Amino acid sequence: MSKEIIERVEKILPDFDLKLVSQGAEALVFVTEKHPYLPKDIKPAGLTNVNNFIVKYRPRKPYRHEKLDLQITKSRTAGEAKLLYKLDSLNIKAPKLIALDAINGIIWMEFLGFRLPNGNFSSLKNWLWFIEKKGESEAIGQLAKDVMRLVGYAIAELHLNEIVHGDLTSSNIVLVKESETEEKYSVALIDFGLSSYSNLVEDKAVDIYVLERALVSTHPQFSELYNEWLLEGYHSLYSEKKKINAWRDVERRLAAVRLRGRKRSMLG
């Protein structure tokens, strides 16, 4: 099925060299070196990477009625594009929107991140695995602490603007180089396909809990510290904005969500 989907997107974009980088239940993500409308000798301004671009494609679902499927695909694609535009206007680090083809389920966006020395993409998951292989002193060193606090801070920026990510895993968080000469990073959130506007404390707590569980799953040896630093960063922005009561609400609800999660695990 995936081969048919890839062939379909290649027909929609016949003049683009597309490299598949990830495939989920809702979308396929490609990298291309060609901008959707600028010639190759003109580089776009305001982007971190002017040589690579992300193409996200939502394929049609054959089990849905054709007209309904078109409507859903168009709506969800346009909704994600609008959210990316909103995040940019709020100065929240996420891929910038470049172009939209809602009818065909395609979003063009900024490519964020870089290749680690081992060749892997700089998702939080890959970066933590990379430093963990260097030994415990690196895995729980000051740089790891700083990065995890930045992650928490970035999530708090979303939540304080009443936006929930909906799929917060360490694969959907990306490290971006801030310096070519030293290990200095910023953190960006990606993949907002399941995101929504919400002022519910429950939704914010679930967002954090999903990431906590992802870290436990992929980095079990050091996840307790990573999650502690994550919450330190999250709390720090609430403190900066003098939203201590709001933080306490999230903290209390997060404890309740964790308890529900443990009960589900015990019951199987």
Side-chain angles (χ1 to χ4, degrees):
M1 182 64 181
S2 61
K3 185 179 178 182
E4 294 175 13
I5 295 172
I6 292 170
E7 288 175 351
R8 199 178 307 149
V9 74
E10 285 174 344
K11 285 181 180 179
I12 298 169
L13 301 169
D15 299 323
F16 293 84
D17 184 17
L18 301 171
K19 180 182 178 183
L20 182 66
V21 291
S22 71
Q23 180 176 354
E26 288 295 315
L28 285 77
V29 177
F30 300 86
V31 172
T32 182
E33 295 179 0
K34 190 174 179 182
H35 193 278
Y37 49 82
L38 287 178
K40 207 165 188 178
D41 57 336
I42 298 178
K43 300 299 182 183
L47 301 183
T48 301
N49 188 326
V50 297
N51 297 311
N52 291 286
F53 310 97
I54 293 293
V55 177
K56 183 173 182 178
Y57 172 62
R58 268 189 179 82
R60 303 284 172 83
K61 303 293 185 183
Y63 56 81
R64 287 198 293 239
H65 185 278
E66 186 175 349
K67 286 187 178 179
L68 176 62
D69 183 64
L70 179 61
Q71 184 180 357
I72 292 172
T73 299
K74 183 179 176 181
S75 174
R76 289 182 179 174
T77 305
E80 184 175 357
K82 288 176 183 176
L83 185 55
L84 290 177
Y85 182 80
K86 177 68 172 178
L87 293 173
D88 189 36
S89 71
L90 294 170
N91 291 316
I92 294 175
K93 201 163 186 65
K96 293 181 188 295
L97 176 66
I98 295 174
L100 170 66
D101 179 358
I103 292 175
N104 284 310
I106 291 175
I107 301 175
W108 294 79
M109 65 186 86
E110 178 182 20
F111 181 99
L112 291 174
F114 60 96
R115 292 289 170 190
L116 296 164
N118 62 7
N120 291 332
F121 178 63
S122 63
S123 67
L124 177 64
K125 179 171 72 174
N126 288 340
W127 184 78
L128 288 173
W129 277 341
F130 176 71
I131 63 168
E132 284 166 4
K133 285 183 178 178
K134 293 182 176 183
E136 185 172 335
S137 61
E138 289 278 347
I140 59 173
Q142 187 61 47
L143 184 58
K145 186 175 185 178
D146 291 344
V147 165
M148 290 310 303
R149 283 177 166 173
L150 285 174
V151 170
Y153 196 95
I155 297 166
E157 284 187 300
L158 269 192
H159 289 178
L160 282 171
N161 283 285
E162 313 299 1
I163 300 168
V164 291
H165 187 279
D167 189 23
L168 264 179
T169 68
S170 51
S171 295
N172 288 336
I173 300 166
V174 171
L175 271 65
V176 180
K177 277 186 179 179
E178 292 293 304
S179 171
E180 291 297 327
T181 58
E182 56 183 322
E183 285 189 296
K184 189 175 180 182
Y185 307 110
S186 59
V187 164
L189 305 180
I190 63 172
D191 194 356
F192 289 87
L194 297 176
S195 300
S196 61
Y197 291 95
S198 175
N199 60 4
L200 297 178
V201 177
E202 173 79 9
D203 292 342
K204 296 171 185 180
V206 169
D207 241 7
I208 298 170
Y209 178 72
V210 168
L211 180 54
E212 284 185 339
R213 297 310 303 164
L215 290 168
V216 169
S217 174
T218 52
H219 312 279
Q221 188 176 355
F222 307 110
S223 60
E224 187 174 345
L225 265 179
Y226 293 160
N227 284 325
E228 180 183 319
W229 295 335
L230 165 76
L231 286 181
E232 285 178 7
Y234 188 93
H235 173 252
S236 69
L237 183 60
Y238 275 72
S239 295
E240 281 179 31
K241 301 294 185 182
K242 303 189 186 307
K243 300 282 187 179
I244 299 302
N245 288 337
W247 152 249
R248 287 173 182 154
D249 288 342
V250 173
E251 187 179 33
R252 281 193 292 267
R253 192 58 60 91
L254 178 58
V257 171
R258 286 171 179 154
L259 183 60
R260 292 204 306 266
R262 283 196 293 272
K263 286 180 178 176
R264 280 197 297 269
S265 297
M266 290 171 63
L267 293 171

